[in-house]
Amino acid sequence: KLKKDGSGRAPVLEFAEIYAQDPSALTDELADGVKRHFGEAGLVCLIEALGFIEGRIRLALMFTALGAATAH
């Protein structure tokens, strides 16, 4: 477990970890932890950033698979 040092890192990292594993497993308590440190706008920004990163990873995987398929 991460130490709670008041910086907000622990709630953000926990939120991001759960988001990466299963976004439907995110709870109000996890969101509240992020909001306590960064507010509602910070939570929205985090969710948007995580979505962008996930989309970028998926796009890279698609282009890799497409390149491999056209090379044959």
Side-chain angles (χ1 to χ4, degrees):
K1 278 290 194 187
L2 294 168
K3 293 175 81 175
K4 297 190 187 230
D5 60 4
S7 69
R9 288 183 293 197
V12 169
L13 291 175
E14 185 175 7
F15 189 96
E17 183 178 4
I18 299 299
Y19 182 96
Q21 294 172 9
D22 179 12
S24 68
L26 291 169
T27 64
D28 290 340
E29 291 78 21
L30 288 168
D32 289 343
V34 174
K35 288 192 285 187
R36 265 192 297 282
H37 292 279
F38 302 106
E40 185 81 27
L43 175 64
V44 171
C45 185
L46 175 62
I47 293 169
E48 289 177 349
L50 292 171
F52 177 81
I53 292 166
E54 181 180 4
R56 171 63 180 91
I57 290 168
R58 289 176 182 258
L59 191 59
L61 290 171
M62 182 190 71
F63 283 135
T64 299
L66 184 61
T70 58
H72 295 299

